[in-house]
Amino acid sequence: MSEELECLDRHEQNCTGPVERYESLSGTGTMITRCRVHREKALKRHEEIQERYPDSSVAPSWFDPAVAGERWDDNY
Ligand SMILES: [Zn+2]
């Protein structure tokens, strides 16, 4: 019996592709579970944050940890 994996962003209701476990983008080693589409969205969002706020450890006002599924990283 295999473990049932649920996409972290399943409330967006447009999950597509296999749901897999990935290491958190913030590099904390936390494992998060996302479908392929939401994984790609999260990755894109992460890259945009890195470009705009490369030196900031403070979350911008629009950053929603509930949406990102990850805490604003405190280890940068
Ligand atoms: Zn999803």
Side-chain angles (χ1 to χ4, degrees), residues 12-29:
E12 293 186 19
Q13 297 182 329
N14 57 346
C15 291
T16 308
V19 176
E20 293 175 31
R21 230 190 278 274
Y22 303 93
E23 196 170 318
S24 166
L25 294 173
S26 53
T28 55

Side-chain angles (χ1 to χ4, degrees), residues 49-50 53-60 63 71-76:
I49 291 170
Q50 292 298 295
Y53 304 95
D55 299 320
S56 176
S57 60
V58 179
F63 181 79
R71 289 173 47 208
W72 191 257
D73 193 34
D74 48 17
N75 288 324
Y76 274 116

Side-chain angles (χ1 to χ4, degrees), residues 7-10 14-16 19 34-39:
C7 175
L8 195 70
D9 295 326
R10 61 188 176 279
N14 57 346
C15 291
T16 308
V19 176
R34 278 196 175 103
C35 68
R36 192 170 58 207
V37 161
H38 285 135
R39 161 69 177 174

